[in-house]
PDB file of all heavy atoms in Angstrom:
ATOM      1  N   LEU A 120       0.830  -1.202   0.000  1.00  0.00           N
ATOM      2  CA  LEU A 120       0.000   0.000   0.000  1.00  0.00           C
ATOM      3  C   LEU A 120       0.865   1.254   0.000  1.00  0.00           C
ATOM      4  O   LEU A 120       0.558   2.245  -0.674  1.00  0.00           O
ATOM      5  CB  LEU A 120      -0.929   0.005   1.215  1.00  0.00           C
ATOM      6  CG  LEU A 120      -2.074  -1.010   1.177  1.00  0.00           C
ATOM      7  CD1 LEU A 120      -2.781  -1.074   2.528  1.00  0.00           C
ATOM      8  CD2 LEU A 120      -3.076  -0.646   0.074  1.00  0.00           C
ATOM      9  N   GLY A 121       1.978   1.213   0.748  1.00  0.00           N
ATOM     10  CA  GLY A 121       2.888   2.348   0.770  1.00  0.00           C
ATOM     11  C   GLY A 121       3.519   2.613  -0.591  1.00  0.00           C
ATOM     12  O   GLY A 121       3.907   3.745  -0.893  1.00  0.00           O
ATOM     13  N   GLN A 122       3.616   1.583  -1.413  1.00  0.00           N
ATOM     14  CA  GLN A 122       4.153   1.735  -2.766  1.00  0.00           C
ATOM     15  C   GLN A 122       3.065   2.042  -3.789  1.00  0.00           C
ATOM     16  O   GLN A 122       3.347   2.168  -4.983  1.00  0.00           O
ATOM     17  CB  GLN A 122       4.901   0.463  -3.178  1.00  0.00           C
ATOM     18  CG  GLN A 122       6.153   0.176  -2.370  1.00  0.00           C
ATOM     19  CD  GLN A 122       6.873  -1.063  -2.871  1.00  0.00           C
ATOM     20  OE1 GLN A 122       6.569  -1.598  -3.935  1.00  0.00           O
ATOM     21  NE2 GLN A 122       7.852  -1.523  -2.110  1.00  0.00           N
ATOM     22  N   GLY A 123       1.824   2.132  -3.337  1.00  0.00           N
ATOM     23  CA  GLY A 123       0.728   2.452  -4.245  1.00  0.00           C
ATOM     24  C   GLY A 123       0.207   1.277  -5.040  1.00  0.00           C
ATOM     25  O   GLY A 123      -0.429   1.468  -6.090  1.00  0.00           O
ATOM     26  N   ARG A 124       0.439   0.049  -4.564  1.00  0.00           N
ATOM     27  CA  ARG A 124      -0.030  -1.131  -5.285  1.00  0.00           C
ATOM     28  C   ARG A 124      -1.481  -1.452  -4.917  1.00  0.00           C
ATOM     29  O   ARG A 124      -1.948  -1.155  -3.818  1.00  0.00           O
ATOM     30  CB  ARG A 124       0.852  -2.344  -4.970  1.00  0.00           C
ATOM     31  CG  ARG A 124       2.346  -2.182  -5.240  1.00  0.00           C
ATOM     32  CD  ARG A 124       2.637  -1.663  -6.627  1.00  0.00           C
ATOM     33  NE  ARG A 124       4.049  -1.752  -6.967  1.00  0.00           N
ATOM     34  CZ  ARG A 124       4.776  -0.722  -7.370  1.00  0.00           C
ATOM     35  NH1 ARG A 124       4.229   0.481  -7.478  1.00  0.00           N
ATOM     36  NH2 ARG A 124       6.048  -0.880  -7.701  1.00  0.00           N
ATOM     37  N   GLU A 125      -2.180  -2.093  -5.857  1.00  0.00           N
ATOM     38  CA  GLU A 125      -3.547  -2.546  -5.603  1.00  0.00           C
ATOM     39  C   GLU A 125      -3.496  -3.785  -4.712  1.00  0.00           C
ATOM     40  O   GLU A 125      -2.622  -4.648  -4.879  1.00  0.00           O
ATOM     41  CB  GLU A 125      -4.247  -2.899  -6.915  1.00  0.00           C
ATOM     42  CG  GLU A 125      -4.465  -1.718  -7.849  1.00  0.00           C
ATOM     43  CD  GLU A 125      -5.615  -0.836  -7.410  1.00  0.00           C
ATOM     44  OE1 GLU A 125      -6.350  -1.222  -6.471  1.00  0.00           O
ATOM     45  OE2 GLU A 125      -5.780   0.238  -8.000  1.00  0.00           O
ATOM     46  N   VAL A 126      -4.437  -3.879  -3.788  1.00  0.00           N
ATOM     47  CA  VAL A 126      -4.466  -5.016  -2.868  1.00  0.00           C
ATOM     48  C   VAL A 126      -5.798  -5.739  -3.005  1.00  0.00           C
ATOM     49  O   VAL A 126      -6.868  -5.116  -3.009  1.00  0.00           O
ATOM     50  CB  VAL A 126      -4.258  -4.568  -1.409  1.00  0.00           C
ATOM     51  CG1 VAL A 126      -4.440  -5.740  -0.450  1.00  0.00           C
ATOM     52  CG2 VAL A 126      -2.868  -3.964  -1.244  1.00  0.00           C
ATOM     53  N   PHE A 127      -5.719  -7.059  -3.112  1.00  0.00           N
ATOM     54  CA  PHE A 127      -6.893  -7.929  -3.215  1.00  0.00           C
ATOM     55  C   PHE A 127      -6.811  -8.970  -2.101  1.00  0.00           C
ATOM     56  O   PHE A 127      -5.719  -9.322  -1.647  1.00  0.00           O
ATOM     57  CB  PHE A 127      -6.915  -8.635  -4.575  1.00  0.00           C
ATOM     58  CG  PHE A 127      -6.879  -7.699  -5.755  1.00  0.00           C
ATOM     59  CD1 PHE A 127      -5.663  -7.167  -6.190  1.00  0.00           C
ATOM     60  CD2 PHE A 127      -8.034  -7.355  -6.430  1.00  0.00           C
ATOM     61  CE1 PHE A 127      -5.609  -6.306  -7.281  1.00  0.00           C
ATOM     62  CE2 PHE A 127      -7.988  -6.483  -7.513  1.00  0.00           C
ATOM     63  CZ  PHE A 127      -6.770  -5.959  -7.941  1.00  0.00           C
ATOM     64  N   ALA A 128      -7.958  -9.452  -1.685  1.00  0.00           N
ATOM     65  CA  ALA A 128      -7.976 -10.460  -0.625  1.00  0.00           C
ATOM     66  C   ALA A 128      -9.063 -11.484  -0.905  1.00  0.00           C
ATOM     67  O   ALA A 128     -10.117 -11.155  -1.465  1.00  0.00           O
ATOM     68  CB  ALA A 128      -8.187  -9.815   0.742  1.00  0.00           C
ATOM     69  N   VAL A 129      -8.787 -12.715  -0.510  1.00  0.00           N
ATOM     70  CA  VAL A 129      -9.735 -13.824  -0.675  1.00  0.00           C
ATOM     71  C   VAL A 129     -10.536 -13.954   0.613  1.00  0.00           C
ATOM     72  O   VAL A 129      -9.954 -14.026   1.702  1.00  0.00           O
ATOM     73  CB  VAL A 129      -8.981 -15.138  -0.970  1.00  0.00           C
ATOM     74  CG1 VAL A 129      -9.953 -16.314  -1.040  1.00  0.00           C
ATOM     75  CG2 VAL A 129      -8.196 -15.016  -2.271  1.00  0.00           C
ATOM     76  N   PRO A 130     -11.857 -14.001   0.533  1.00  0.00           N
ATOM     77  CA  PRO A 130     -12.652 -14.156   1.765  1.00  0.00           C
ATOM     78  C   PRO A 130     -12.506 -15.554   2.342  1.00  0.00           C
ATOM     79  O   PRO A 130     -12.276 -16.523   1.615  1.00  0.00           O
ATOM     80  CB  PRO A 130     -14.082 -13.905   1.279  1.00  0.00           C
ATOM     81  CG  PRO A 130     -14.052 -14.299  -0.170  1.00  0.00           C
ATOM     82  CD  PRO A 130     -12.698 -13.925  -0.674  1.00  0.00           C
ATOM     83  N   GLY A 131     -12.637 -15.655   3.660  1.00  0.00           N
ATOM     84  CA  GLY A 131     -12.581 -16.947   4.339  1.00  0.00           C
ATOM     85  C   GLY A 131     -13.700 -17.032   5.353  1.00  0.00           C
ATOM     86  O   GLY A 131     -14.529 -16.116   5.476  1.00  0.00           O
ATOM     87  N   ASN A 132     -13.733 -18.117   6.106  1.00  0.00           N
ATOM     88  CA  ASN A 132     -14.763 -18.283   7.131  1.00  0.00           C
ATOM     89  C   ASN A 132     -14.650 -17.192   8.190  1.00  0.00           C
ATOM     90  O   ASN A 132     -13.546 -16.872   8.646  1.00  0.00           O
ATOM     91  CB  ASN A 132     -14.633 -19.655   7.796  1.00  0.00           C
ATOM     92  CG  ASN A 132     -15.033 -20.785   6.858  1.00  0.00           C
ATOM     93  OD1 ASN A 132     -15.802 -20.584   5.927  1.00  0.00           O
ATOM     94  ND2 ASN A 132     -14.494 -21.964   7.095  1.00  0.00           N
ATOM     95  N   ALA A 133     -15.768 -16.660   8.590  1.00  0.00           N
ATOM     96  CA  ALA A 133     -15.781 -15.555   9.551  1.00  0.00           C
ATOM     97  C   ALA A 133     -15.197 -15.953  10.895  1.00  0.00           C
ATOM     98  O   ALA A 133     -14.664 -15.100  11.619  1.00  0.00           O
ATOM     99  CB  ALA A 133     -17.205 -15.027   9.727  1.00  0.00           C
ATOM    100  N   ASP A 134     -15.295 -17.225  11.244  1.00  0.00           N
ATOM    101  CA  ASP A 134     -14.793 -17.655  12.554  1.00  0.00           C
ATOM    102  C   ASP A 134     -13.443 -18.354  12.462  1.00  0.00           C
ATOM    103  O   ASP A 134     -12.991 -18.958  13.438  1.00  0.00           O
ATOM    104  CB  ASP A 134     -15.803 -18.584  13.239  1.00  0.00           C
ATOM    105  CG  ASP A 134     -16.063 -19.857  12.443  1.00  0.00           C
ATOM    106  OD1 ASP A 134     -15.607 -19.933  11.272  1.00  0.00           O
ATOM    107  OD2 ASP A 134     -16.718 -20.776  12.976  1.00  0.00           O
ATOM    108  N   ALA A 135     -12.784 -18.274  11.314  1.00  0.00           N
ATOM    109  CA  ALA A 135     -11.500 -18.944  11.136  1.00  0.00           C
ATOM    110  C   ALA A 135     -10.362 -17.990  11.480  1.00  0.00           C
ATOM    111  O   ALA A 135     -10.246 -16.913  10.889  1.00  0.00           O
ATOM    112  CB  ALA A 135     -11.346 -19.443   9.707  1.00  0.00           C
ATOM    113  N   GLU A 136      -9.551 -18.383  12.435  1.00  0.00           N
ATOM    114  CA  GLU A 136      -8.422 -17.537  12.838  1.00  0.00           C
ATOM    115  C   GLU A 136      -7.479 -17.279  11.668  1.00  0.00           C
ATOM    116  O   GLU A 136      -6.928 -16.189  11.526  1.00  0.00           O
ATOM    117  CB  GLU A 136      -7.660 -18.210  13.980  1.00  0.00           C
ATOM    118  CG  GLU A 136      -6.485 -17.393  14.492  1.00  0.00           C
ATOM    119  CD  GLU A 136      -5.735 -18.097  15.604  1.00  0.00           C
ATOM    120  OE1 GLU A 136      -6.254 -19.105  16.121  1.00  0.00           O
ATOM    121  OE2 GLU A 136      -4.617 -17.640  15.949  1.00  0.00           O
ATOM    122  N   SER A 137      -7.335 -18.275  10.795  1.00  0.00           N
ATOM    123  CA  SER A 137      -6.406 -18.134   9.677  1.00  0.00           C
ATOM    124  C   SER A 137      -6.893 -17.153   8.621  1.00  0.00           C
ATOM    125  O   SER A 137      -6.125 -16.764   7.735  1.00  0.00           O
ATOM    126  CB  SER A 137      -6.163 -19.501   9.025  1.00  0.00           C
ATOM    127  OG  SER A 137      -7.381 -20.053   8.540  1.00  0.00           O
ATOM    128  N   SER A 138      -8.161 -16.747   8.698  1.00  0.00           N
ATOM    129  CA  SER A 138      -8.708 -15.784   7.743  1.00  0.00           C
ATOM    130  C   SER A 138      -8.956 -14.416   8.357  1.00  0.00           C
ATOM    131  O   SER A 138      -9.425 -13.503   7.670  1.00  0.00           O
ATOM    132  CB  SER A 138     -10.026 -16.309   7.143  1.00  0.00           C
ATOM    133  OG  SER A 138      -9.788 -17.415   6.307  1.00  0.00           O
ATOM    134  N   ALA A 139      -8.671 -14.250   9.643  1.00  0.00           N
ATOM    135  CA  ALA A 139      -8.967 -12.979  10.313  1.00  0.00           C
ATOM    136  C   ALA A 139      -8.253 -11.808   9.650  1.00  0.00           C
ATOM    137  O   ALA A 139      -8.802 -10.710   9.525  1.00  0.00           O
ATOM    138  CB  ALA A 139      -8.584 -13.071  11.790  1.00  0.00           C
ATOM    139  N   GLY A 140      -7.024 -12.015   9.230  1.00  0.00           N
ATOM    140  CA  GLY A 140      -6.269 -10.937   8.606  1.00  0.00           C
ATOM    141  C   GLY A 140      -6.816 -10.542   7.252  1.00  0.00           C
ATOM    142  O   GLY A 140      -6.949  -9.349   6.942  1.00  0.00           O
ATOM    143  N   THR A 141      -7.143 -11.516   6.405  1.00  0.00           N
ATOM    144  CA  THR A 141      -7.667 -11.193   5.081  1.00  0.00           C
ATOM    145  C   THR A 141      -9.067 -10.582   5.177  1.00  0.00           C
ATOM    146  O   THR A 141      -9.412  -9.689   4.397  1.00  0.00           O
ATOM    147  CB  THR A 141      -7.681 -12.449   4.196  1.00  0.00           C
ATOM    148  OG1 THR A 141      -8.120 -13.580   4.957  1.00  0.00           O
ATOM    149  CG2 THR A 141      -6.291 -12.739   3.659  1.00  0.00           C
ATOM    150  N   LEU A 142      -9.875 -11.037   6.134  1.00  0.00           N
ATOM    151  CA  LEU A 142     -11.191 -10.417   6.321  1.00  0.00           C
ATOM    152  C   LEU A 142     -11.045  -8.965   6.769  1.00  0.00           C
ATOM    153  O   LEU A 142     -11.798  -8.080   6.329  1.00  0.00           O
ATOM    154  CB  LEU A 142     -12.007 -11.218   7.340  1.00  0.00           C
ATOM    155  CG  LEU A 142     -12.458 -12.605   6.880  1.00  0.00           C
ATOM    156  CD1 LEU A 142     -13.099 -13.371   8.033  1.00  0.00           C
ATOM    157  CD2 LEU A 142     -13.430 -12.490   5.704  1.00  0.00           C
ATOM    158  N   ALA A 143     -10.065  -8.700   7.626  1.00  0.00           N
ATOM    159  CA  ALA A 143      -9.810  -7.320   8.047  1.00  0.00           C
ATOM    160  C   ALA A 143      -9.373  -6.465   6.859  1.00  0.00           C
ATOM    161  O   ALA A 143      -9.772  -5.296   6.747  1.00  0.00           O
ATOM    162  CB  ALA A 143      -8.745  -7.302   9.140  1.00  0.00           C
ATOM    163  N   MET A 144      -8.567  -7.020   5.964  1.00  0.00           N
ATOM    164  CA  MET A 144      -8.140  -6.273   4.775  1.00  0.00           C
ATOM    165  C   MET A 144      -9.336  -5.889   3.911  1.00  0.00           C
ATOM    166  O   MET A 144      -9.407  -4.780   3.377  1.00  0.00           O
ATOM    167  CB  MET A 144      -7.162  -7.114   3.945  1.00  0.00           C
ATOM    168  CG  MET A 144      -5.829  -7.378   4.612  1.00  0.00           C
ATOM    169  SD  MET A 144      -4.837  -8.520   3.596  1.00  0.00           S
ATOM    170  CE  MET A 144      -3.755  -9.219   4.849  1.00  0.00           C
ATOM    171  N   LEU A 145     -10.289  -6.821   3.776  1.00  0.00           N
ATOM    172  CA  LEU A 145     -11.491  -6.525   2.992  1.00  0.00           C
ATOM    173  C   LEU A 145     -12.290  -5.394   3.626  1.00  0.00           C
ATOM    174  O   LEU A 145     -12.803  -4.508   2.933  1.00  0.00           O
ATOM    175  CB  LEU A 145     -12.348  -7.786   2.854  1.00  0.00           C
ATOM    176  CG  LEU A 145     -11.760  -8.891   1.953  1.00  0.00           C
ATOM    177  CD1 LEU A 145     -12.530 -10.197   2.124  1.00  0.00           C
ATOM    178  CD2 LEU A 145     -11.794  -8.439   0.499  1.00  0.00           C
ATOM    179  N   LYS A 146     -12.382  -5.388   4.942  1.00  0.00           N
ATOM    180  CA  LYS A 146     -13.087  -4.301   5.632  1.00  0.00           C
ATOM    181  C   LYS A 146     -12.374  -2.965   5.439  1.00  0.00           C
ATOM    182  O   LYS A 146     -13.003  -1.903   5.431  1.00  0.00           O
ATOM    183  CB  LYS A 146     -13.189  -4.615   7.129  1.00  0.00           C
ATOM    184  CG  LYS A 146     -14.097  -5.794   7.471  1.00  0.00           C
ATOM    185  CD  LYS A 146     -14.089  -6.048   8.978  1.00  0.00           C
ATOM    186  CE  LYS A 146     -14.941  -7.236   9.345  1.00  0.00           C
ATOM    187  NZ  LYS A 146     -14.911  -7.512  10.812  1.00  0.00           N
ATOM    188  N   GLU A 147     -11.052  -3.037   5.301  1.00  0.00           N
ATOM    189  CA  GLU A 147     -10.250  -1.814   5.180  1.00  0.00           C
ATOM    190  C   GLU A 147     -10.137  -1.317   3.742  1.00  0.00           C
ATOM    191  O   GLU A 147      -9.470  -0.313   3.485  1.00  0.00           O
ATOM    192  CB  GLU A 147      -8.854  -2.073   5.754  1.00  0.00           C
ATOM    193  CG  GLU A 147      -8.864  -2.324   7.258  1.00  0.00           C
ATOM    194  CD  GLU A 147      -7.595  -3.012   7.743  1.00  0.00           C
ATOM    195  OE1 GLU A 147      -6.678  -3.232   6.912  1.00  0.00           O
ATOM    196  OE2 GLU A 147      -7.521  -3.334   8.951  1.00  0.00           O
ATOM    197  N   GLY A 148     -10.758  -2.030   2.794  1.00  0.00           N
ATOM    198  CA  GLY A 148     -10.767  -1.525   1.420  1.00  0.00           C
ATOM    199  C   GLY A 148     -10.097  -2.393   0.384  1.00  0.00           C
ATOM    200  O   GLY A 148     -10.082  -2.035  -0.807  1.00  0.00           O
ATOM    201  N   ALA A 149      -9.534  -3.534   0.776  1.00  0.00           N
ATOM    202  CA  ALA A 149      -8.980  -4.443  -0.226  1.00  0.00           C
ATOM    203  C   ALA A 149     -10.114  -4.940  -1.122  1.00  0.00           C
ATOM    204  O   ALA A 149     -11.255  -5.087  -0.689  1.00  0.00           O
ATOM    205  CB  ALA A 149      -8.283  -5.618   0.447  1.00  0.00           C
ATOM    206  N   LYS A 150      -9.798  -5.207  -2.375  1.00  0.00           N
ATOM    207  CA  LYS A 150     -10.806  -5.673  -3.315  1.00  0.00           C
ATOM    208  C   LYS A 150     -10.986  -7.178  -3.182  1.00  0.00           C
ATOM    209  O   LYS A 150     -10.019  -7.917  -3.071  1.00  0.00           O
ATOM    210  CB  LYS A 150     -10.399  -5.310  -4.741  1.00  0.00           C
ATOM    211  CG  LYS A 150     -10.322  -3.796  -4.936  1.00  0.00           C
ATOM    212  CD  LYS A 150      -9.866  -3.419  -6.330  1.00  0.00           C
ATOM    213  CE  LYS A 150      -9.795  -1.903  -6.464  1.00  0.00           C
ATOM    214  NZ  LYS A 150      -9.326  -1.482  -7.807  1.00  0.00           N
ATOM    215  N   LEU A 151     -12.224  -7.619  -3.199  1.00  0.00           N
ATOM    216  CA  LEU A 151     -12.537  -9.025  -3.006  1.00  0.00           C
ATOM    217  C   LEU A 151     -12.158  -9.820  -4.244  1.00  0.00           C
ATOM    218  O   LEU A 151     -12.423  -9.406  -5.383  1.00  0.00           O
ATOM    219  CB  LEU A 151     -14.019  -9.189  -2.699  1.00  0.00           C
ATOM    220  CG  LEU A 151     -14.493 -10.605  -2.359  1.00  0.00           C
ATOM    221  CD1 LEU A 151     -15.593 -10.543  -1.296  1.00  0.00           C
ATOM    222  CD2 LEU A 151     -15.022 -11.317  -3.598  1.00  0.00           C
ATOM    223  N   ALA A 152     -11.552 -10.982  -4.038  1.00  0.00           N
ATOM    224  CA  ALA A 152     -11.170 -11.854  -5.144  1.00  0.00           C
ATOM    225  C   ALA A 152     -11.576 -13.279  -4.838  1.00  0.00           C
ATOM    226  O   ALA A 152     -11.164 -13.843  -3.822  1.00  0.00           O
ATOM    227  CB  ALA A 152      -9.670 -11.783  -5.380  1.00  0.00           C
ATOM    228  N   THR A 153     -12.397 -13.847  -5.702  1.00  0.00           N
ATOM    229  CA  THR A 153     -12.767 -15.258  -5.575  1.00  0.00           C
ATOM    230  C   THR A 153     -12.296 -16.060  -6.785  1.00  0.00           C
ATOM    231  O   THR A 153     -12.448 -17.274  -6.806  1.00  0.00           O
ATOM    232  CB  THR A 153     -14.293 -15.418  -5.426  1.00  0.00           C
ATOM    233  OG1 THR A 153     -14.939 -14.834  -6.561  1.00  0.00           O
ATOM    234  CG2 THR A 153     -14.785 -14.738  -4.154  1.00  0.00           C
TER     235      THR A 153
END
């Protein structure tokens, strides 16, 4: 983001610890990618 790159994130289960970071990125404006 500091370099001005586009960021995309894959959604995961809402209760999965391993997806907490990517779900947070989506809330912060990352574009959803399936």
Side-chain angles (χ1 to χ4, degrees):
L120 289 170
Q122 294 182 11
R124 304 309 191 235
E125 295 283 351
V126 174
F127 304 82
V129 176
N132 290 335
D134 61 350
E136 181 181 348
S137 60
S138 291
T141 41
L142 291 173
M144 293 174 204
L145 290 168
K146 292 178 182 179
E147 294 161 4
K150 297 178 181 179
L151 185 144
T153 58

